[in-house]
Amino acid sequence: MGENMEKWAHDFIWVKSQHWSYEEEWRIITTFRECKNIKNCNNTKIFLFPLPFDVIKNIYLGCRMSKEKINDFVDLISRSKALKHIQVYRALPSEKEYKLRFMKV
């Protein structure tokens, strides 16, 4: 059982199907011991790690996000000099297939 759990954990973190290769995703792995900024929210610890803004290229918003929240989010990004380079996309259900399409906001 232990070996199976280790393999599952390894695959969960490090393995990604070639089908998703177009995403060009980067994964950053570190330990909680390295975290210097821990918040407590509703009795749950949230570990916040610094991330340079320039490494963020795109943000994808879910298809169920309200227009009001989308507008607030886009407004927040557009007002920040450090975030202006980020492209924001909204997920929309495809009208012809069972999948999502992404529209630039």
Side-chain angles (χ1 to χ4, degrees), residues 23-65:
E23 289 186 346
E24 298 180 14
E25 173 188 63
W26 285 79
R27 297 180 183 183
I28 301 169
I29 311 296
T30 190
T31 64
F32 288 137
R33 287 187 296 271
E34 303 293 322
C35 187
K36 307 268 188 279
N37 190 1
I38 303 170
K39 304 290 183 193
N40 194 341
C41 181
N42 297 328
N43 294 322
T44 301
K45 286 184 180 179
I46 299 175
F47 296 83
L48 301 172
F49 293 88
L51 184 67
F53 290 135
D54 63 333
V55 301
I56 302 170
K57 306 296 181 206
N58 302 313
I59 294 177
Y60 295 87
L61 306 176
C63 61
R64 293 184 183 160
M65 185 178 249

mmCIF file of all heavy atoms in Angstrom, residues 23-65:
data_model
loop_
_atom_site.group_PDB
_atom_site.id
_atom_site.type_symbol
_atom_site.label_atom_id
_atom_site.label_comp_id
_atom_site.label_asym_id
_atom_site.label_seq_id
_atom_site.Cartn_x
_atom_site.Cartn_y
_atom_site.Cartn_z
ATOM 1 N N GLU A 23 -0.872 23.782 -22.632
ATOM 2 C CA GLU A 23 -1.019 24.753 -21.542
ATOM 3 C C GLU A 23 0.306 25.377 -21.121
ATOM 4 O O GLU A 23 0.328 26.428 -20.515
ATOM 5 C CB GLU A 23 -1.663 24.085 -20.323
ATOM 6 C CG GLU A 23 -3.109 23.749 -20.517
ATOM 7 C CD GLU A 23 -3.739 23.221 -19.252
ATOM 8 O OE1 GLU A 23 -3.025 22.860 -18.297
ATOM 9 O OE2 GLU A 23 -4.974 23.178 -19.203
ATOM 10 N N GLU A 24 1.401 24.712 -21.408
ATOM 11 C CA GLU A 24 2.727 25.185 -21.011
ATOM 12 C C GLU A 24 2.769 25.549 -19.531
ATOM 13 O O GLU A 24 3.281 26.593 -19.132
ATOM 14 C CB GLU A 24 3.161 26.357 -21.890
ATOM 15 C CG GLU A 24 3.280 25.980 -23.352
ATOM 16 C CD GLU A 24 3.712 27.130 -24.228
ATOM 17 O OE1 GLU A 24 4.169 28.160 -23.711
ATOM 18 O OE2 GLU A 24 3.602 26.992 -25.464
ATOM 19 N N GLU A 25 2.197 24.684 -18.733
ATOM 20 C CA GLU A 25 2.089 24.908 -17.287
ATOM 21 C C GLU A 25 3.430 24.716 -16.591
ATOM 22 O O GLU A 25 4.209 23.863 -16.970
ATOM 23 C CB GLU A 25 1.083 23.887 -16.717
ATOM 24 C CG GLU A 25 0.988 23.882 -15.222
ATOM 25 C CD GLU A 25 0.137 22.729 -14.726
ATOM 26 O OE1 GLU A 25 0.506 21.572 -14.945
ATOM 27 O OE2 GLU A 25 -0.900 23.012 -14.112
ATOM 28 N N TRP A 26 3.665 25.528 -15.593
ATOM 29 C CA TRP A 26 4.816 25.371 -14.706
ATOM 30 C C TRP A 26 4.283 25.027 -13.326
ATOM 31 O O TRP A 26 3.303 25.613 -12.872
ATOM 32 C CB TRP A 26 5.620 26.665 -14.627
ATOM 33 C CG TRP A 26 6.427 26.911 -15.849
ATOM 34 C CD1 TRP A 26 5.993 27.403 -17.038
ATOM 35 C CD2 TRP A 26 7.818 26.672 -16.006
ATOM 36 N NE1 TRP A 26 7.018 27.501 -17.922
ATOM 37 C CE2 TRP A 26 8.163 27.052 -17.315
ATOM 38 C CE3 TRP A 26 8.816 26.175 -15.178
ATOM 39 C CZ2 TRP A 26 9.452 26.947 -17.813
ATOM 40 C CZ3 TRP A 26 10.091 26.087 -15.666
ATOM 41 C CH2 TRP A 26 10.396 26.464 -16.965
ATOM 42 N N ARG A 27 4.934 24.104 -12.662
ATOM 43 C CA ARG A 27 4.554 23.745 -11.300
ATOM 44 C C ARG A 27 5.709 24.075 -10.368
ATOM 45 O O ARG A 27 6.853 23.774 -10.649
ATOM 46 C CB ARG A 27 4.215 22.260 -11.206
ATOM 47 C CG ARG A 27 3.020 21.900 -12.056
ATOM 48 C CD ARG A 27 2.675 20.449 -11.970
ATOM 49 N NE ARG A 27 1.560 20.160 -12.871
ATOM 50 C CZ ARG A 27 0.986 18.985 -12.971
ATOM 51 N NH1 ARG A 27 1.405 17.981 -12.237
ATOM 52 N NH2 ARG A 27 -0.002 18.803 -13.800
ATOM 53 N N ILE A 28 5.377 24.721 -9.274
ATOM 54 C CA ILE A 28 6.393 25.098 -8.296
ATOM 55 C C ILE A 28 6.123 24.305 -7.024
ATOM 56 O O ILE A 28 5.029 24.377 -6.458
ATOM 57 C CB ILE A 28 6.336 26.614 -8.001
ATOM 58 C CG1 ILE A 28 6.560 27.399 -9.288
ATOM 59 C CG2 ILE A 28 7.347 26.985 -6.923
ATOM 60 C CD1 ILE A 28 6.276 28.874 -9.163
ATOM 61 N N ILE A 29 7.115 23.552 -6.583
ATOM 62 C CA ILE A 29 6.964 22.702 -5.409
ATOM 63 C C ILE A 29 7.931 23.188 -4.332
ATOM 64 O O ILE A 29 9.111 23.390 -4.592
ATOM 65 C CB ILE A 29 7.287 21.216 -5.735
ATOM 66 C CG1 ILE A 29 6.541 20.749 -6.994
ATOM 67 C CG2 ILE A 29 7.014 20.330 -4.546
ATOM 68 C CD1 ILE A 29 5.051 20.741 -6.879
ATOM 69 N N THR A 30 7.419 23.373 -3.129
ATOM 70 C CA THR A 30 8.247 23.752 -1.988
ATOM 71 C C THR A 30 7.613 23.192 -0.722
ATOM 72 O O THR A 30 6.517 22.649 -0.769
ATOM 73 C CB THR A 30 8.425 25.289 -1.906
ATOM 74 O OG1 THR A 30 9.410 25.589 -0.926
ATOM 75 C CG2 THR A 30 7.126 25.974 -1.570
ATOM 76 N N THR A 31 8.298 23.304 0.385
ATOM 77 C CA THR A 31 7.754 22.779 1.641
ATOM 78 C C THR A 31 7.115 23.903 2.446
ATOM 79 O O THR A 31 7.472 25.074 2.302
ATOM 80 C CB THR A 31 8.858 22.126 2.499
ATOM 81 O OG1 THR A 31 9.787 23.135 2.865
ATOM 82 C CG2 THR A 31 9.559 21.016 1.747
ATOM 83 N N PHE A 32 6.184 23.540 3.290
ATOM 84 C CA PHE A 32 5.552 24.524 4.162
ATOM 85 C C PHE A 32 6.560 25.127 5.137
ATOM 86 O O PHE A 32 6.390 26.248 5.587
ATOM 87 C CB PHE A 32 4.388 23.909 4.937
ATOM 88 C CG PHE A 32 3.186 23.620 4.081
ATOM 89 C CD1 PHE A 32 2.493 22.445 4.208
ATOM 90 C CD2 PHE A 32 2.737 24.545 3.149
ATOM 91 C CE1 PHE A 32 1.373 22.179 3.427
ATOM 92 C CE2 PHE A 32 1.623 24.294 2.356
ATOM 93 C CZ PHE A 32 0.943 23.098 2.502
ATOM 94 N N ARG A 33 7.613 24.402 5.448
ATOM 95 C CA ARG A 33 8.641 24.930 6.351
ATOM 96 C C ARG A 33 9.269 26.201 5.802
ATOM 97 O O ARG A 33 9.747 27.045 6.545
ATOM 98 C CB ARG A 33 9.734 23.884 6.590
ATOM 99 C CG ARG A 33 9.327 22.741 7.471
ATOM 100 C CD ARG A 33 10.522 21.850 7.786
ATOM 101 N NE ARG A 33 11.065 21.215 6.597
ATOM 102 C CZ ARG A 33 10.662 20.043 6.104
ATOM 103 N NH1 ARG A 33 9.722 19.369 6.709
ATOM 104 N NH2 ARG A 33 11.205 19.535 5.029
ATOM 105 N N GLU A 34 9.274 26.347 4.471
ATOM 106 C CA GLU A 34 9.873 27.508 3.820
ATOM 107 C C GLU A 34 8.978 28.746 3.902
ATOM 108 O O GLU A 34 9.414 29.849 3.615
ATOM 109 C CB GLU A 34 10.150 27.202 2.349
ATOM 110 C CG GLU A 34 11.037 25.999 2.100
ATOM 111 C CD GLU A 34 12.451 26.215 2.575
ATOM 112 O OE1 GLU A 34 12.959 27.342 2.424
ATOM 113 O OE2 GLU A 34 13.034 25.272 3.126
ATOM 114 N N CYS A 35 7.724 28.566 4.262
ATOM 115 C CA CYS A 35 6.760 29.667 4.231
ATOM 116 C C CYS A 35 6.989 30.646 5.379
ATOM 117 O O CYS A 35 7.091 30.268 6.533
ATOM 118 C CB CYS A 35 5.331 29.125 4.300
ATOM 119 S SG CYS A 35 4.104 30.403 4.065
ATOM 120 N N LYS A 36 7.034 31.923 5.018
ATOM 121 C CA LYS A 36 7.233 32.983 6.009
ATOM 122 C C LYS A 36 5.939 33.755 6.291
ATOM 123 O O LYS A 36 5.873 34.559 7.190
ATOM 124 C CB LYS A 36 8.289 33.972 5.500
ATOM 125 C CG LYS A 36 9.595 33.341 5.079
ATOM 126 C CD LYS A 36 10.576 33.295 6.216
ATOM 127 C CE LYS A 36 11.941 32.863 5.783
ATOM 128 N NZ LYS A 36 12.147 31.462 5.620
ATOM 129 N N ASN A 37 4.891 33.506 5.489
ATOM 130 C CA ASN A 37 3.648 34.264 5.607
ATOM 131 C C ASN A 37 2.467 33.289 5.700
ATOM 132 O O ASN A 37 2.021 32.750 4.693
ATOM 133 C CB ASN A 37 3.495 35.193 4.400
ATOM 134 C CG ASN A 37 2.361 36.171 4.563
ATOM 135 O OD1 ASN A 37 1.673 36.194 5.571
ATOM 136 N ND2 ASN A 37 2.155 36.977 3.543
ATOM 137 N N ILE A 38 1.984 33.075 6.909
ATOM 138 C CA ILE A 38 0.886 32.141 7.141
ATOM 139 C C ILE A 38 -0.298 32.911 7.708
ATOM 140 O O ILE A 38 -0.168 33.640 8.684
ATOM 141 C CB ILE A 38 1.299 31.020 8.113
ATOM 142 C CG1 ILE A 38 2.531 30.284 7.572
ATOM 143 C CG2 ILE A 38 0.141 30.049 8.349
ATOM 144 C CD1 ILE A 38 3.161 29.328 8.573
ATOM 145 N N LYS A 39 -1.444 32.759 7.068
ATOM 146 C CA LYS A 39 -2.678 33.402 7.517
ATOM 147 C C LYS A 39 -3.616 32.333 8.064
ATOM 148 O O LYS A 39 -3.580 31.181 7.642
ATOM 149 C CB LYS A 39 -3.371 34.127 6.356
ATOM 150 C CG LYS A 39 -2.511 35.152 5.656
ATOM 151 C CD LYS A 39 -2.265 36.352 6.517
ATOM 152 C CE LYS A 39 -1.455 37.391 5.748
ATOM 153 N NZ LYS A 39 -0.924 38.414 6.572
ATOM 154 N N ASN A 40 -4.480 32.758 8.979
ATOM 155 C CA ASN A 40 -5.495 31.856 9.508
ATOM 156 C C ASN A 40 -6.853 32.377 9.068
ATOM 157 O O ASN A 40 -7.226 33.496 9.369
ATOM 158 C CB ASN A 40 -5.403 31.782 11.034
ATOM 159 C CG ASN A 40 -6.179 30.628 11.595
ATOM 160 O OD1 ASN A 40 -7.063 30.066 10.948
ATOM 161 N ND2 ASN A 40 -5.847 30.255 12.818
ATOM 162 N N CYS A 41 -7.588 31.548 8.343
ATOM 163 C CA CYS A 41 -8.896 31.938 7.821
ATOM 164 C C CYS A 41 -9.897 30.843 8.165
ATOM 165 O O CYS A 41 -9.775 29.716 7.683
ATOM 166 C CB CYS A 41 -8.798 32.139 6.309
ATOM 167 S SG CYS A 41 -10.333 32.658 5.565
ATOM 168 N N ASN A 42 -10.845 31.172 9.027
ATOM 169 C CA ASN A 42 -11.863 30.194 9.446
ATOM 170 C C ASN A 42 -11.224 28.906 9.980
ATOM 171 O O ASN A 42 -11.584 27.808 9.585
ATOM 172 C CB ASN A 42 -12.815 29.867 8.292
ATOM 173 C CG ASN A 42 -13.586 31.067 7.836
ATOM 174 O OD1 ASN A 42 -13.907 31.949 8.627
ATOM 175 N ND2 ASN A 42 -13.875 31.128 6.560
ATOM 176 N N ASN A 43 -10.239 29.079 10.838
ATOM 177 C CA ASN A 43 -9.510 27.956 11.450
ATOM 178 C C ASN A 43 -8.757 27.093 10.440
ATOM 179 O O ASN A 43 -8.484 25.926 10.691
ATOM 180 C CB ASN A 43 -10.457 27.082 12.289
ATOM 181 C CG ASN A 43 -10.983 27.833 13.485
ATOM 182 O OD1 ASN A 43 -10.262 28.609 14.117
ATOM 183 N ND2 ASN A 43 -12.251 27.630 13.797
ATOM 184 N N THR A 44 -8.433 27.664 9.289
ATOM 185 C CA THR A 44 -7.646 26.968 8.274
ATOM 186 C C THR A 44 -6.409 27.794 7.979
ATOM 187 O O THR A 44 -6.511 28.989 7.728
ATOM 188 C CB THR A 44 -8.470 26.785 6.977
ATOM 189 O OG1 THR A 44 -9.645 26.040 7.273
ATOM 190 C CG2 THR A 44 -7.671 26.071 5.908
ATOM 191 N N LYS A 45 -5.253 27.149 8.025
ATOM 192 C CA LYS A 45 -4.015 27.855 7.700
ATOM 193 C C LYS A 45 -3.878 28.003 6.196
ATOM 194 O O LYS A 45 -4.083 27.051 5.449
ATOM 195 C CB LYS A 45 -2.807 27.096 8.242
ATOM 196 C CG LYS A 45 -2.649 27.200 9.733
ATOM 197 C CD LYS A 45 -1.382 26.503 10.184
ATOM 198 C CE LYS A 45 -1.233 26.606 11.678
ATOM 199 N NZ LYS A 45 -0.029 25.907 12.152
ATOM 200 N N ILE A 46 -3.537 29.206 5.766
ATOM 201 C CA ILE A 46 -3.264 29.486 4.364
ATOM 202 C C ILE A 46 -1.803 29.908 4.267
ATOM 203 O O ILE A 46 -1.378 30.857 4.922
ATOM 204 C CB ILE A 46 -4.190 30.583 3.819
ATOM 205 C CG1 ILE A 46 -5.644 30.128 3.925
ATOM 206 C CG2 ILE A 46 -3.814 30.936 2.387
ATOM 207 C CD1 ILE A 46 -6.641 31.186 3.530
ATOM 208 N N PHE A 47 -1.032 29.172 3.474
ATOM 209 C CA PHE A 47 0.390 29.423 3.319
ATOM 210 C C PHE A 47 0.608 30.252 2.062
ATOM 211 O O PHE A 47 0.298 29.820 0.959
ATOM 212 C CB PHE A 47 1.148 28.095 3.217
ATOM 213 C CG PHE A 47 1.050 27.262 4.464
ATOM 214 C CD1 PHE A 47 -0.058 26.451 4.692
ATOM 215 C CD2 PHE A 47 2.059 27.300 5.411
ATOM 216 C CE1 PHE A 47 -0.159 25.689 5.841
ATOM 217 C CE2 PHE A 47 1.962 26.537 6.571
ATOM 218 C CZ PHE A 47 0.854 25.735 6.788
ATOM 219 N N LEU A 48 1.124 31.472 2.233
ATOM 220 C CA LEU A 48 1.334 32.388 1.120
ATOM 221 C C LEU A 48 2.825 32.493 0.804
ATOM 222 O O LEU A 48 3.633 32.803 1.681
ATOM 223 C CB LEU A 48 0.772 33.763 1.464
ATOM 224 C CG LEU A 48 -0.720 33.799 1.795
ATOM 225 C CD1 LEU A 48 -1.117 35.175 2.311
ATOM 226 C CD2 LEU A 48 -1.545 33.423 0.585
ATOM 227 N N PHE A 49 3.166 32.232 -0.442
ATOM 228 C CA PHE A 49 4.543 32.293 -0.883
ATOM 229 C C PHE A 49 4.705 33.436 -1.879
ATOM 230 O O PHE A 49 3.816 33.666 -2.703
ATOM 231 C CB PHE A 49 4.952 30.977 -1.564
ATOM 232 C CG PHE A 49 4.998 29.814 -0.626
ATOM 233 C CD1 PHE A 49 3.864 29.052 -0.381
ATOM 234 C CD2 PHE A 49 6.178 29.474 0.023
ATOM 235 C CE1 PHE A 49 3.897 27.977 0.489
ATOM 236 C CE2 PHE A 49 6.222 28.397 0.894
ATOM 237 C CZ PHE A 49 5.078 27.654 1.129
ATOM 238 N N PRO A 50 5.821 34.149 -1.807
ATOM 239 C CA PRO A 50 6.025 35.244 -2.770
ATOM 240 C C PRO A 50 6.186 34.694 -4.184
ATOM 241 O O PRO A 50 6.774 33.630 -4.385
ATOM 242 C CB PRO A 50 7.312 35.915 -2.285
ATOM 243 C CG PRO A 50 8.012 34.883 -1.466
ATOM 244 C CD PRO A 50 6.947 33.995 -0.903
ATOM 245 N N LEU A 51 5.637 35.402 -5.134
ATOM 246 C CA LEU A 51 5.743 35.025 -6.539
ATOM 247 C C LEU A 51 5.883 36.311 -7.337
ATOM 248 O O LEU A 51 5.034 37.196 -7.229
ATOM 249 C CB LEU A 51 4.477 34.275 -6.969
ATOM 250 C CG LEU A 51 4.434 33.712 -8.363
ATOM 251 C CD1 LEU A 51 5.450 32.580 -8.521
ATOM 252 C CD2 LEU A 51 3.041 33.208 -8.683
ATOM 253 N N PRO A 52 6.958 36.445 -8.111
ATOM 254 C CA PRO A 52 7.126 37.676 -8.881
ATOM 255 C C PRO A 52 5.983 37.837 -9.887
ATOM 256 O O PRO A 52 5.618 36.899 -10.580
ATOM 257 C CB PRO A 52 8.457 37.490 -9.605
ATOM 258 C CG PRO A 52 9.074 36.270 -9.055
ATOM 259 C CD PRO A 52 8.028 35.499 -8.324
ATOM 260 N N PHE A 53 5.400 39.022 -9.949
ATOM 261 C CA PHE A 53 4.274 39.268 -10.843
ATOM 262 C C PHE A 53 4.630 39.014 -12.309
ATOM 263 O O PHE A 53 3.786 38.613 -13.096
ATOM 264 C CB PHE A 53 3.753 40.691 -10.694
ATOM 265 C CG PHE A 53 3.057 40.942 -9.395
ATOM 266 C CD1 PHE A 53 3.311 42.089 -8.671
ATOM 267 C CD2 PHE A 53 2.136 40.045 -8.878
ATOM 268 C CE1 PHE A 53 2.657 42.344 -7.473
ATOM 269 C CE2 PHE A 53 1.482 40.277 -7.683
ATOM 270 C CZ PHE A 53 1.748 41.432 -6.978
ATOM 271 N N ASP A 54 5.887 39.258 -12.685
ATOM 272 C CA ASP A 54 6.242 39.127 -14.097
ATOM 273 C C ASP A 54 6.207 37.690 -14.607
ATOM 274 O O ASP A 54 6.240 37.459 -15.806
ATOM 275 C CB ASP A 54 7.587 39.782 -14.394
ATOM 276 C CG ASP A 54 8.743 39.141 -13.651
ATOM 277 O OD1 ASP A 54 8.522 38.564 -12.568
ATOM 278 O OD2 ASP A 54 9.873 39.217 -14.157
ATOM 279 N N VAL A 55 6.119 36.697 -13.714
ATOM 280 C CA VAL A 55 6.022 35.312 -14.175
ATOM 281 C C VAL A 55 4.581 34.931 -14.527
ATOM 282 O O VAL A 55 4.346 33.907 -15.156
ATOM 283 C CB VAL A 55 6.597 34.300 -13.155
ATOM 284 C CG1 VAL A 55 8.055 34.599 -12.862
ATOM 285 C CG2 VAL A 55 5.775 34.253 -11.894
ATOM 286 N N ILE A 56 3.625 35.756 -14.130
ATOM 287 C CA ILE A 56 2.218 35.490 -14.443
ATOM 288 C C ILE A 56 1.913 36.113 -15.800
ATOM 289 O O ILE A 56 2.039 37.323 -15.982
ATOM 290 C CB ILE A 56 1.285 36.073 -13.364
ATOM 291 C CG1 ILE A 56 1.621 35.483 -11.994
ATOM 292 C CG2 ILE A 56 -0.174 35.812 -13.735
ATOM 293 C CD1 ILE A 56 0.904 36.181 -10.846
ATOM 294 N N LYS A 57 1.540 35.291 -16.758
ATOM 295 C CA LYS A 57 1.251 35.777 -18.112
ATOM 296 C C LYS A 57 -0.247 35.897 -18.358
ATOM 297 O O LYS A 57 -0.691 36.847 -18.990
ATOM 298 C CB LYS A 57 1.854 34.824 -19.164
ATOM 299 C CG LYS A 57 3.339 34.572 -18.984
ATOM 300 C CD LYS A 57 4.145 35.823 -19.161
ATOM 301 C CE LYS A 57 5.620 35.520 -19.002
ATOM 302 N NZ LYS A 57 6.404 36.614 -18.586
ATOM 303 N N ASN A 58 -1.010 34.915 -17.905
ATOM 304 C CA ASN A 58 -2.453 34.879 -18.146
ATOM 305 C C ASN A 58 -3.178 34.452 -16.884
ATOM 306 O O ASN A 58 -2.632 33.696 -16.082
ATOM 307 C CB ASN A 58 -2.810 33.875 -19.243
ATOM 308 C CG ASN A 58 -2.119 34.164 -20.543
ATOM 309 O OD1 ASN A 58 -2.110 35.300 -20.996
ATOM 310 N ND2 ASN A 58 -1.534 33.149 -21.143
ATOM 311 N N ILE A 59 -4.418 34.915 -16.762
ATOM 312 C CA ILE A 59 -5.310 34.454 -15.695
ATOM 313 C C ILE A 59 -6.612 34.043 -16.355
ATOM 314 O O ILE A 59 -7.155 34.769 -17.202
ATOM 315 C CB ILE A 59 -5.553 35.557 -14.644
ATOM 316 C CG1 ILE A 59 -4.246 35.871 -13.917
ATOM 317 C CG2 ILE A 59 -6.632 35.116 -13.647
ATOM 318 C CD1 ILE A 59 -4.352 36.992 -12.905
ATOM 319 N N TYR A 60 -7.109 32.868 -15.993
ATOM 320 C CA TYR A 60 -8.339 32.336 -16.562
ATOM 321 C C TYR A 60 -9.423 32.328 -15.494
ATOM 322 O O TYR A 60 -9.254 31.729 -14.432
ATOM 323 C CB TYR A 60 -8.101 30.921 -17.102
ATOM 324 C CG TYR A 60 -7.135 30.924 -18.254
ATOM 325 C CD1 TYR A 60 -5.757 30.851 -18.042
ATOM 326 C CD2 TYR A 60 -7.590 31.037 -19.563
ATOM 327 C CE1 TYR A 60 -4.866 30.884 -19.095
ATOM 328 C CE2 TYR A 60 -6.709 31.079 -20.626
ATOM 329 C CZ TYR A 60 -5.350 30.995 -20.387
ATOM 330 O OH TYR A 60 -4.474 31.039 -21.431
ATOM 331 N N LEU A 61 -10.525 33.006 -15.776
ATOM 332 C CA LEU A 61 -11.643 33.106 -14.851
ATOM 333 C C LEU A 61 -12.695 32.072 -15.234
ATOM 334 O O LEU A 61 -12.927 31.817 -16.417
ATOM 335 C CB LEU A 61 -12.236 34.514 -14.885
ATOM 336 C CG LEU A 61 -11.241 35.651 -14.655
ATOM 337 C CD1 LEU A 61 -11.935 36.994 -14.807
ATOM 338 C CD2 LEU A 61 -10.588 35.530 -13.299
ATOM 339 N N GLY A 62 -13.348 31.508 -14.247
ATOM 340 C CA GLY A 62 -14.325 30.456 -14.474
ATOM 341 C C GLY A 62 -15.593 30.946 -15.160
ATOM 342 O O GLY A 62 -15.953 32.129 -15.096
ATOM 343 N N CYS A 63 -16.287 30.020 -15.794
ATOM 344 C CA CYS A 63 -17.485 30.383 -16.561
ATOM 345 C C CYS A 63 -18.673 30.722 -15.668
ATOM 346 O O CYS A 63 -19.647 31.302 -16.138
ATOM 347 C CB CYS A 63 -17.859 29.275 -17.540
ATOM 348 S SG CYS A 63 -18.248 27.702 -16.815
ATOM 349 N N ARG A 64 -18.599 30.415 -14.397
ATOM 350 C CA ARG A 64 -19.703 30.749 -13.488
ATOM 351 C C ARG A 64 -19.456 32.035 -12.697
ATOM 352 O O ARG A 64 -20.272 32.419 -11.873
ATOM 353 C CB ARG A 64 -19.947 29.594 -12.524
ATOM 354 C CG ARG A 64 -20.463 28.362 -13.227
ATOM 355 C CD ARG A 64 -20.782 27.282 -12.245
ATOM 356 N NE ARG A 64 -21.215 26.084 -12.936
ATOM 357 C CZ ARG A 64 -21.206 24.898 -12.409
ATOM 358 N NH1 ARG A 64 -20.789 24.727 -11.168
ATOM 359 N NH2 ARG A 64 -21.617 23.860 -13.097
ATOM 360 N N MET A 65 -18.340 32.692 -12.948
ATOM 361 C CA MET A 65 -18.041 33.931 -12.240
ATOM 362 C C MET A 65 -18.986 35.026 -12.715
ATOM 363 O O MET A 65 -19.211 35.175 -13.914
ATOM 364 C CB MET A 65 -16.581 34.332 -12.476
ATOM 365 C CG MET A 65 -16.129 35.531 -11.686
ATOM 366 S SD MET A 65 -14.384 35.899 -11.983
ATOM 367 C CE MET A 65 -13.700 35.488 -10.407
#
